[in-house]
Amino acid sequence: MLKKVVLLALPHVAPFEFGVVCEVFGIDRSEMGGPAFDFHIVTAEPGAVPTSLGYSMMISEGLEQAADADLVAVPAHLIDDPVHPEVVRVLREAEARGAWIISVCSGAFTLAAAGILDGRSATTHWMHADRLARDYPLTRVNPDVLFVEDRRVISSAGTAAGIDACLHLVRTELGAAAANVIARRMVVPPQRSGGQSQYIAAPVAPVQSDSFADVTEWMLHNLDQELPVDELARRALMSPRTFARRFRADLGTTPAAWLNRQRLMRAQLLLEQSADLGLERVAAETGFGSAAVMRHHFVKTLKTTPAAYRRTFGLAAPAAPHLTPASPELELAL
């Protein structure tokens, strides 16, 4: 179970990426029905830690707090700074005991320097991806995704992708409802697929509807329907081909992939919140049509079955640390 979270304050840390981890894991949201973590900010040499913007933060706790952490988080920092040998030790020990490790943006370079990414898939900000691949050839670098999970190590791309990666981890360990509480408090989307492109092109031309907000809102209220592209395009006042192209340009994924992700999210919530709703009913209400089809999408994307998900996160479920069966490597894409 994800309880104790330790965030490393490295010299020349990037304040925004550092703040992302603080915002997701450092706030007690139990009054809203969300999680509360045992959260610590630590550094190799307690005292003033300079940030990348020129001011310093006073950090009082040392790396000993990481010895029993369930998650060790590494925010973005200046790539060329040497990695403190005690930070390397902490990361290697965390990996060895099976703790989660997460990096945001250039934090992947610290993981790579510690050998954590050897033989793993990973990502970082697209500006730094070529260098990560060049400097650490044992790492399989994917520059085109928001985040990658590979055997309890999660690496994310730049800036806001760190939010997606952190919420993905909360969702994996504590369920969709817990992640949704945090997302609602942060006023961010509860889930973007890790396989979504880092770079989303601007719309190529103005259309009669200012954005896809209206049609996606309608899709969310009609998930139990088939929702063919022809119908969606008609509502957006476009041809099907133009709709599919501009949808991907605006949202970074295809209409079908976006729709499947929303259906999965709705199914996760129903499985968590309704102990007496049968799997066939859940499948019907979320547009999968049958429990067999829903199971296929759960296994493909979440690496677990609907029944196993309900046992782990349902109303009557005991606290459980992991979904089963677990995936050795998950590079989220639809």
Side-chain angles (χ1 to χ4, degrees):
M1 177 66 78
L2 184 61
K3 294 181 178 179
K4 185 173 183 179
V5 177
V6 164
L7 171 60
L8 300 182
L10 304 175
H12 304 116
V13 61
F16 183 91
E17 287 79 358
F18 181 87
V20 161
V21 181
C22 293
E23 180 73 18
V24 173
F25 297 106
I27 297 176
D28 184 345
R29 296 182 172 92
S30 55
E31 289 187 0
M32 302 175 64
F37 300 99
D38 180 14
F39 182 72
H40 299 264
I41 300 173
V42 305
T43 189
E45 299 176 1
V49 176
T51 70
S52 61
L53 294 183
Y55 66 87
S56 295
M57 301 184 295
M58 293 299 299
I59 309 297
S60 60
E61 293 192 283
L63 296 178
E64 62 275 3
Q65 282 289 351
D68 58 348
D70 301 305
L71 166 64
V72 177
V74 182
H77 57 84
L78 296 185
I79 293 173
D80 291 319
D81 283 353
V83 181
H84 197 290
E86 286 300 293
V87 169
V88 171
R89 177 187 60 80
V90 162
L91 291 171
R92 289 176 177 174
E93 289 178 355
E95 180 194 29
R97 68 174 181 272
W100 284 98
I101 300 173
I102 191 168
S103 67
V104 182
C105 193
S106 60
F109 284 81
T110 293
L111 302 192
I116 303 301
L117 298 183
D118 288 357
R120 281 186 166 95
S121 293
T123 193
T124 188
H125 194 291
W126 59 268
M127 291 177 60
H128 307 311
D130 286 345
R131 178 170 175 179
L132 183 65
R134 182 180 67 250
D135 291 355
Y136 300 98
L138 296 181
T139 301
R140 299 187 298 274
V141 179
N142 187 339
D144 298 322
V145 296
L146 295 179
F147 61 86
V148 173
E149 176 193 329
D150 190 341
R151 290 168 290 155
R152 299 180 71 80
V153 174
I154 301 174
S155 53
S156 67
T159 315
I163 300 175
D164 300 303
C166 290
L167 290 177
H168 164 72
L169 177 54
V170 172
R171 190 177 303 105
T172 298
E173 284 286 297
L174 303 178
N180 288 352
V181 169
I182 297 174
R184 189 178 308 116
R185 175 73 177 266
M186 293 177 65
V187 197
V188 297
Q191 184 165 16
R192 290 195 298 170
S193 166
Q196 183 169 316
S197 174
Q198 286 192 31
Y199 177 74
I200 300 175
V204 296
V207 295
Q208 287 178 270
S209 58
D210 292 335
S211 70
F212 286 97
D214 290 342
V215 70
T216 53
E217 182 71 15
W218 183 83
M219 291 164 73
L220 289 173
H221 284 91
N222 293 274
L223 289 177
D224 58 333
Q225 305 300 314
E226 288 191 15
L227 305 183
V229 170
D230 287 354
E231 168 67 12
L232 301 177
R234 184 184 66 80
R235 287 186 169 273
L237 305 177
M238 302 178 196
S239 70
R241 178 176 295 182
T242 299
F243 175 83
R245 174 169 53 81
R246 290 185 176 171
F247 191 99
R248 187 177 186 94
D250 266 18
L251 300 179
T253 189
T254 66
W258 189 92
L259 187 58
N260 274 336
R261 171 54 66 184
Q262 305 311 311
R263 284 173 167 157
L264 277 171
M265 291 170 63
R266 180 73 57 82
Q268 286 175 272
L269 287 175
L270 289 177
L271 291 169
E272 290 181 30
Q273 298 172 358
S274 56
D276 57 349
L277 199 63
L279 295 183
E280 290 291 346
R281 178 73 179 277
V282 173
E285 291 195 9
T286 55
F288 286 118
S290 71
V293 173
M294 181 172 69
R295 186 183 191 280
H296 167 79
H297 286 286
F298 262 73
V299 171
K300 178 181 177 182
T301 304
L302 302 177
K303 310 303 178 185
T304 191
T305 66
Y309 188 91
R310 171 172 272 170
R311 285 195 300 270
T312 304
F313 296 122
L315 290 172
H322 311 299
L323 287 171
T324 54
S327 168
E329 177 180 324
L330 177 59
E331 188 167 329
L332 293 185
L334 292 175

